[in-house]
Amino acid sequence: MNKIIVLIMFLAFGKVFCQTDRYIYQTEANPDTINLVDMKVEKTFLDVSKTQTLFISESRLLRDSLRSTLKLQEKQEIKKSKKDKPDFPKLADGKSIQPTFFEYFIIKDLAGNSVNLVENVGPKQVYYQEDRKLNWEITPQTSEYKGYKIQKATVNFGGRNWTAWFSPDIKLSDGPYKFYGLPGLILKLEDDKGDYRFSFLKKVVVTNAYQEQIMPDARKSSRINFAGDKASVRMELSKNKDSQINLDQFNPGGGRGMHQRNGAMNGGFNGPPGGNGGMPNGEMGGAPNMGGMPAATSGQNTGFTNFGNTNPIELTNK
C-alpha cells in the first residue's frame, strides 16, 4: 500500500504535469429512466491550461496518473488471478479511487475551438473531433450563484434540451462535457428532463496537475464511425495480445454507456464521490496534485460491475 502512495508521489516530478486552474463540478445523472433509482453523483473537473481545457472525471484522472506512475516505474505486469489480485489502491487518508461512468475525457483547444473526445481501448486511444455546432440562445434572465452573476442560455444538443447558466465575470468560454461558446464560464447546466446536472462547486489552482493528452499513436476516428473503429482496435489488440500494464482490476465498479444510445461511446456517473484528485491543502489526503488511469472500455471491463445505465447523455447521433 505504501508503495502505491510512493509511486503516486513520484508523478509530481514527471513531465506530464503543469499548473492548472481547476473548476470542480458536482455531477449528477439519472442512470435509468425506466426503473426508480437514485441519482448517481461524482465530481468532474474542467482543467484549464494555457492552450486547452480538459473535461474529465475525478476518478478517471486519478486512475490515469496511477497508470502513468506504474509505467514510469517499469511495472510491466500485474497478476490477474484472484489469489494474487493487488489491493484496490487507496489514497493517503485511506480512501479508495472510486469507479466512474466517464470512460473518456474531452479536450477543447482554446485557439481553434476544436472539441476532441478521447477514449481508451486497452492501452490504445481512439478519438474523434466533434463536428456539430452549439446554437445557443442567450436570454436576458439573470440570477446569482455562489457569488457570481449568472445569465441563462438554452441549446438543443444530442437530442436533449439544455439550460446553462454562465458567468460573464469569468472570461472563459467553456463548460462541462462538450459545452462551450458562451461569453463566460458555464456554472450550472441541466437538461429539461432533470436527468443530467452539473453544478460548479469551486475553483482551485493545482500546481502539479496531471495533464491528459492525445497520444501520437492514437487512432483518429469520426463521430459516426467511432463505435466501429473502437471495435477494430479491440480486435487488433486481441490478436497481438501485447503485454501491457492492466489496472482494470483497480476499478471495481466500472460502468458504461452514458454517451450515446447506440453504444458508440461510454461514460457516465457513479457515486459516492471519492477524494478530490489533485487538490491542494490535503484535500486528497496528503497525496500530491495528480490524476488517475483510463478506465477500460466495453470489451475491457472484465470483473466490472455494470450499473445498468440506460440513459445516455446523448440520445441521438444527429
Side-chain angles (χ1 to χ4, degrees):
M1 190 59 60
N2 290 334
K3 289 182 180 180
I4 293 294
I5 296 173
V6 170
L7 289 175
I8 292 174
M9 293 182 68
F10 177 82
L11 269 178
F13 305 97
K15 296 181 180 180
V16 290
F17 283 77
C18 67
Q19 181 163 316
T20 295
D21 290 338
R22 174 166 294 167
Y23 295 88
I24 304 169
Y25 293 82
Q26 176 171 290
T27 306
E28 305 168 73
N30 175 11
D32 190 337
T33 56
I34 299 175
N35 301 300
L36 184 62
V37 296
D38 293 334
M39 296 284 280
K40 300 299 181 183
V41 182
E42 70 172 298
K43 288 186 178 68
T44 54
F45 298 153
L46 184 66
D47 281 4
V48 183
S49 59
K50 292 182 180 180
T51 60
Q52 68 180 35
T53 65
L54 167 71
F55 173 77
I56 192 168
S57 73
E58 176 186 51
S59 292
R60 160 116 198 194
L61 194 62
L62 286 167
R63 290 184 288 120
D64 279 355
S65 66
L66 181 56
R67 179 189 291 269
S68 179
T69 303
L70 294 179
K71 285 184 178 180
L72 289 173
Q73 292 293 302
E74 298 181 344
K75 299 292 185 181
Q76 297 300 317
E77 185 177 5
I78 293 179
K79 295 181 179 179
K80 298 180 181 179
S81 68
K82 293 182 179 180
K83 180 179 179 181
D84 297 317
K85 186 175 179 179
D87 289 338
F88 188 58
K90 293 181 172 58
L91 308 180
D93 60 357
K95 292 181 179 179
S96 296
I97 298 174
Q98 297 297 317
T100 179
F101 279 112
F102 276 107
E103 305 300 354
Y104 56 84
F105 59 87
I106 296 170
I107 292 178
K108 304 187 188 98
D109 179 21
L110 291 177
N113 290 325
S114 65
V115 179
N116 291 289
L117 185 144
V118 186
E119 189 171 333
N120 278 77
V121 178
K124 185 81 171 181
Q125 287 182 343
V126 186
Y127 75 99
Y128 72 90
Q129 183 171 321
E130 176 59 53
D131 55 0
R132 294 166 292 180
K133 299 297 182 182
L134 291 167
N135 298 312
W136 291 102
E137 180 179 340
I138 300 176
T139 76
Q141 186 175 348
T142 61
S143 185
E144 188 172 317
Y145 179 71
K146 292 190 177 295
Y148 293 100
K149 178 183 177 181
I150 54 176
Q151 189 169 348
K152 182 180 178 180
T154 60
V155 69
N156 182 280
F157 180 76
R160 292 182 183 272
N161 294 313
W162 295 89
T163 296
W165 291 87
F166 67 95
S167 173
D169 296 332
I170 303 177
K171 307 301 182 182
L172 177 63
S173 181
D174 212 332
Y177 192 58
K178 297 178 181 178
F179 294 96
Y180 73 103
L182 289 169
L185 178 66
I186 297 173
L187 299 186
K188 297 174 68 177
L189 179 69
E190 185 175 9
D191 75 296
D192 61 351
K193 300 180 185 300
D195 288 339
Y196 287 85
R197 185 180 304 115
F198 300 85
S199 303
F200 170 72
L201 295 176
K202 61 181 175 179
K203 171 190 172 182
V204 297
V205 177
V206 186
T207 303
N208 293 312
Y210 180 83
Q211 187 175 22
E212 296 281 8
Q213 54 189 320
I214 300 176
M215 305 304 293
D217 65 344
R219 172 76 62 89
K220 185 174 183 179
S221 181
S222 66
R223 182 171 55 85
I224 302 300
N225 297 325
F226 196 55
D229 285 338
K230 288 196 302 178
S232 176
V233 169
R234 256 191 302 275
M235 290 183 63
E236 292 172 7
L237 291 173
S238 65
K239 290 179 181 179
N240 295 333
K241 295 183 179 179
D242 293 332
S243 175
Q244 295 286 343
I245 291 178
N246 185 347
L247 298 183
D248 293 348
Q249 61 267 50
F250 287 162
N251 184 351
R256 8 165 160 191
M258 275 206 179
H259 192 211
Q260 292 187 339
R261 194 173 293 282
N262 63 4
M265 304 152 210
N266 297 330
F269 308 93
N270 164 71
N276 297 332
M279 306 293 190
N281 303 323
E283 288 193 35
M284 212 192 69
N289 303 326
M290 41 164 268
M293 32 193 180
T297 58
S298 54
Q300 298 287 327
N301 286 342
T302 304
F304 283 20
T305 299
N306 189 334
F307 283 91
N309 170 58
T310 59
N311 189 20
I313 193 167
E314 293 183 29
L315 298 174
T316 177
N317 204 28
K318 297 179 180 180

